[in-house]
Amino acid sequence: MVNDVPRLPALWDPALREFVDEHEAMIHELANGFDAPIHLLFPQRFARNVAAFQRVLDERQVAGRVYYAKKANKARCFVRAAAESGIGVDVASVGEFADALAAGVCGEDIGVSGPAKANDLLRLAVLHDALIAIDSLDELGRLIAIAQQCECIARVLLRMEPAAQTGSRFGLSVAALDSALSMCASNRSSVVFEGFSFHLSGYSAVARCNQAGIAVRACASARAFDLSPYTINIGGGFAMSYAGEDDWRAFQAAQKPGDYHATKMFDGFYPYHSACSGAQMLDAILTGVPDGESKPLADLLREHGLQIMLEPGRALLDQAGFTVFAVQGVKDRGDYGIATVNGTSFSVSEQWFASEFLPDPELLSAARDLQQPPRASRPYRACVGGASCLDSDMVTWRKVAFAQRPEPGDLLLYANTAGYQMDSNESPFHELPLPPKLVMTLDGARPRWRVDRLSPFSGA
Ligand SMILES: *Cc1c(COP(=O)(O)O)cnc(C)c1O
């Protein structure tokens, strides 16, 4: 039966693939040494992803600024890589703001988004000259008062309600934008209006291009208030591919409820393959012609003297990390088994959005004593459970086809988890320690590692 089961091989960056293939012993050593699931991070790959976005801006001759959306991963090393690459960071809390400063990002390069931001955050942002995306009129009122108290001038963008996503709770309506513009115009000593922003859900380049067209026209209208906007922030949501096109298509066609433990059903899955992802998607947005316009967005931006700002989170973390769990035990259940690992599904966030992180985990069998007979390698299907007492704590509901039965001490590698999967939902539930993050450098003869930073909750 195992020959017939749906598979979804994970895409691996060649350098990471080589690292896994050539340094299995080191991966076992680290997993043992830290006695927990571990997240391995590759900030060099992050820097390459940044460069790919910047290349598109250069090629299309568009003035632009990239901001890394920090919420996609809590690690310090990526913010530091952002600082080193000279890009900005998008934050939404005092903690994230402080973290960005601590990693060497200057206030001017910090963008602040999020709904109804706390006064503390607004004050911090004003004092550090950060760029604040305003989400409501009352927030703008509070910001103006704070800027007056601080005797500073607040830099603002006005966040637009997405024209095509009426269900969004974010942004200002057309009428509210008008009021916000007059507030900016009459409070020039405390706010400077720099432009418009939006962030759309979904992964459509066309929707982003169209909304950017609306923002370009809004910039032209704002000039009637004698304001001089020069930035359009198109937010994030750049798609990422975790699997090859054919594999993803075949998987979707083959998978059925019986392939999942407890015949679990899901609301839907992330599009694990996108024909147009990452920086390529930025190119599609810039070369697209927005609705109601006759020229590509790139031309419109240039003609109106506007710069574009983008806030990728997930796409900058493409191939910048993977997660390693150790198998603690395996229980046979008829035609499949349940492998329980030494961590929880909180380390694979997709599992907490009525969905599943689908790319196949990879089994690294424990280093064997040469005296022992080699393990029989008969194909075996297993789902993967977490070490908690929650029935729903499944790291993988799907009965994954492994080449052999997992055994205690084996490792399971989950590829490409840096974007959102790793840590957005982690908690020290059951007093389990938070998995440490190890920063890997692959440029020497032997890979080097260091701890990203010790979390106050790591139990260490
Ligand atoms: C979450 C978020 C992003 C990043 O989204 P990705 O899908 O990770 O690219 C960017 N901007 C804002 C305002 C966000 O809330």
Side-chain angles (χ1 to χ4, degrees):
M1 280 75 316
V2 171
N3 296 326
D4 221 26
V5 303
R7 290 163 200 271
L8 190 62
L11 289 177
W12 283 87
D13 175 275
L16 267 62
R17 185 69 256 171
E18 191 183 313
F19 166 68
V20 171
D21 291 343
E22 315 233 313
H23 298 282
E24 265 190 45
M26 181 184 203
I27 296 170
H28 275 285
E29 228 170 84
L30 292 172
N32 264 326
F34 285 93
D35 186 30
I38 50 175
H39 301 301
L40 303 188
L41 309 180
F42 300 83
Q44 290 166 314
R45 175 60 203 229
F46 176 96
R48 268 179 47 202
N49 294 336
V50 169
F53 276 98
Q54 285 176 325
R55 214 161 30 243
V56 170
L57 293 171
D58 289 348
E59 279 167 13
R60 297 296 165 195
Q61 298 178 307
V62 169
R65 289 282 290 151
V66 181
Y67 285 66
Y68 162 52
K70 193 190 172 315
K71 72 170 184 285
N73 194 296
K74 294 187 186 120
R76 173 72 52 84
C77 69
F78 295 128
V79 193
R80 188 169 294 142
E84 283 166 4
S85 303
I87 63 167
V89 175
D90 172 60
V91 305
S93 70
V94 167
E96 286 186 339
F97 198 111
D99 240 31
L101 290 175
V105 182
C106 70
E108 260 182 272
D109 289 336
I110 297 177
V112 184
S113 57
K117 290 171 275 298
N119 286 350
D120 282 353
L121 176 58
L122 291 175
R123 198 180 134 79
L124 190 61
V126 169
L127 289 170
H128 285 274
D129 212 19
L131 182 58
I132 304 162
I134 291 293
D135 193 60
S136 69
L137 289 174
D138 95 272
E139 185 182 61
L140 181 57
R142 286 188 289 123
L143 178 66
I144 289 170
I146 289 167
Q148 283 165 350
Q149 275 163 17
C150 300
E151 298 183 13
C152 291
I153 299 184
R155 299 168 56 215
V156 305
L157 300 177
L158 297 178
R159 182 159 172 175
M160 316 177 97
E161 235 174 48
Q165 290 173 358
T166 46
S168 174
R169 69 184 172 100
F170 292 102
L172 294 146
S173 65
V174 173
L177 283 173
D178 232 43
S179 310
L181 288 172
S182 29
M183 280 169 81
C184 291
S186 49
N187 287 279
R188 287 169 201 270
S189 56
S190 38
V191 278
V192 52
F193 168 65
E194 297 195 358
F196 294 96
S197 74
F198 59 86
H199 171 67
L200 308 184
S201 48
Y203 304 94
S204 160
V206 171
R208 284 168 177 77
C209 180
N210 287 336
Q211 185 70 42
I214 296 171
V216 169
R217 294 193 288 276
C219 283
S221 322
R223 290 181 177 141
F225 290 83
D226 202 20
L227 295 165
S228 332
Y230 59 89
T231 298
I232 290 177
N233 177 356
I234 64 169
F238 295 86
M240 207 181 110
S241 286
Y242 294 82
E245 185 176 359
D246 293 344
D247 289 336
W248 177 227
R249 195 182 308 114
F251 178 89
Q252 286 174 286
Q255 60 108 26
K256 53 194 182 306
D259 291 318
Y260 300 85
H261 169 62
T263 52
K264 175 85 175 168
M265 307 272 274
F266 300 96
D267 291 353
F269 296 120
Y270 181 86
Y272 286 93
H273 180 86
S274 287
C276 179
S277 57
Q280 232 184 329
M281 184 170 150
L282 174 61
D283 199 53
I285 295 170
L286 291 174
T287 55
V289 178
D291 264 353
E293 301 290 340
S294 52
K295 291 176 188 166
L297 178 62
D299 293 5
L300 295 171
L301 291 167
R302 250 181 273 113
E303 279 171 22
H304 287 82
L306 296 169
Q307 70 163 0
I308 199 163
M309 172 172 163
L310 45 142
E311 301 168 330
R314 188 191 295 263
L316 291 183
L317 295 169
D318 188 11
Q319 296 288 350
F322 66 89
T323 298
V324 182
F325 293 93
V327 176
Q328 290 189 160
V330 184
K331 176 156 68 180
D332 296 309
R333 285 198 46 137
D335 64 343
Y336 71 105
I338 301 177
T340 300
V341 292
N342 64 341
T344 70
S345 53
F346 293 121
S347 299
V348 187
S349 304
E350 200 69 18
Q351 304 306 106
W352 293 93
F353 294 97
S355 191
E356 166 119 320
F357 186 64
L358 284 175
D360 290 348
E362 179 169 326
L363 185 69
L364 284 196
S365 49
R368 298 267 131 195
D369 186 334
L370 287 175
Q371 315 293 328
Q372 283 182 0
R375 222 194 277 172
S377 67
R378 265 197 310 117
Y380 187 91
R381 289 184 82 180
C383 57
V384 182
S388 81
C389 298
L390 299 176
D391 224 353
S392 54
D393 176 21
M394 294 296 293
V395 180
T396 298
W397 290 88
R398 185 163 54 94
K399 302 165 189 171
V400 177
F402 293 108
Q404 62 190 41
R405 185 178 186 275
E407 298 290 343
D410 289 354
L411 301 180
L412 286 175
L413 272 50
Y414 282 76
N416 220 348
T417 50
Y420 295 107
Q421 299 308 322
M422 277 182 186
D423 62 12
S424 71
N425 283 36
E426 276 181 348
S427 85
F429 188 52
H430 274 300
E431 305 299 335
L432 289 168
L434 288 187
K437 295 200 180 75
L438 307 179
V439 184
M440 308 300 301
T441 311
L442 299 179
D443 54 7
R446 186 180 149 76
R448 282 171 294 138
W449 63 271
R450 63 184 165 79
V451 176
D452 181 65
R453 62 172 156 168
L454 288 174
S455 153
F457 307 111
S458 67

